[in-house]
Amino acid sequence: MRLLSRVLPLLVGLGLASCAGVDVDTNYDPAAVQRLNDFRTYAWLTHPQQTTDTRINNAIADAQVTGAVDRDLQARGYQKVDPSENPDFLIGWQGAINTRLSAETVDSYWGYPWDPFWGSYYGPSQTYVRQYDVGTLILDVVDAKEKKLVWRGTAQANLGDSPSAQANGDKVNKGVEKMLEKFPPKLEEKK
């Protein structure tokens, strides 16, 4: 029973971490919705080197992101062109990886999270602290003629405490797919 109470929190934490998906949010300029719906050609902006984090600023990460975006957009009829060919929109990406901590206090008798009512009855509690990385990917769509940001998508995912390149590549693909499902945006009807 003692072993179970020590292993259960770890198993629950790993199970929840593995089920964690990609959280996506988008924002756009409502005045640009009609123009966004008329866009057909695009070109890539130069990737900014805003951080020295080599997990983000490297050729592999750039190829993963641009490849995922190109596949999605081209499957929906958009055409990638050279920036000199006057594209309808420009697209760029940025990324960040932040380290976070999570702490969970577990009752040593049952292995459930600590409860102020029952916690002292079952004996001492233990707190487990876990460090993990969270990756954020931002896609920006800029109106090429007006040089104005008109749409932004953000995807965020838990990369775990020892992320692999394959798992991160899958999360990039999933994040891009979920973001671009909302591109171009539909003008919301007001009630």
Side-chain angles (χ1 to χ4, degrees):
M1 185 66 152
R2 194 92 167 124
L3 178 63
L4 179 63
S5 68
R6 293 181 188 268
V7 173
L8 186 63
L10 180 61
L11 293 175
V12 169
L14 289 174
L16 291 174
S18 67
C19 295
V22 177
D23 296 325
V24 171
D25 191 26
T26 61
N27 196 2
Y28 61 91
D29 178 2
V33 171
Q34 183 58 45
R35 286 194 320 272
L36 284 164
N37 285 312
D38 293 337
F39 288 166
R40 295 292 166 245
T41 60
Y42 73 96
W44 279 95
L45 291 166
T46 305
H47 181 67
Q49 298 288 327
Q50 294 180 339
T51 178
T52 58
D53 191 338
T54 57
R55 297 174 297 177
I56 299 164
N57 289 325
N58 63 63
I60 295 170
D62 188 54
Q64 285 177 328
V65 174
T66 58
V69 172
D70 286 342
R71 280 189 302 277
D72 191 282
L73 289 177
Q74 290 170 10
R76 295 191 291 132
Y78 292 95
Q79 181 183 2
K80 180 180 171 183
V81 297
D82 191 78
S84 64
E85 296 180 38
N86 296 323
D88 295 326
F89 68 97
L90 303 169
I91 191 162
W93 73 274
Q94 306 172 54
I97 297 177
N98 298 311
T99 301
R100 295 196 181 157
L101 295 174
S102 73
E104 183 174 348
T105 302
V106 178
D107 181 275
S108 63
Y109 184 77
W110 292 105
Y112 295 117
W114 184 81
D115 183 325
F117 182 70
W118 296 104
S120 61
Y121 179 75
Y122 289 116
S125 302
Q126 292 182 339
T127 300
Y128 298 92
V129 177
R130 185 175 73 90
Q131 179 176 318
Y132 61 97
D133 289 330
V134 173
T136 303
L137 174 64
I138 300 171
L139 290 180
D140 287 334
V141 171
V142 175
D143 185 323
K145 290 177 182 55
E146 294 188 13
K147 305 290 188 222
K148 179 179 171 187
L149 179 67
V150 290
W151 183 90
R152 173 172 276 181
T154 306
Q156 196 170 61
N158 180 345
L159 302 178
D161 50 4
S162 57
S164 70
Q166 178 64 37
N168 288 348
D170 292 341
K171 288 179 181 177
V172 166
N173 290 335
K174 188 176 204 170
V176 166
E177 180 183 320
K178 286 177 74 173
M179 276 189 281
L180 291 178
E181 283 175 358
K182 300 177 181 187
F183 178 82
K186 311 291 186 265
L187 191 57
E188 297 176 10
E189 295 178 13
K190 299 193 180 199
K191 296 180 181 182

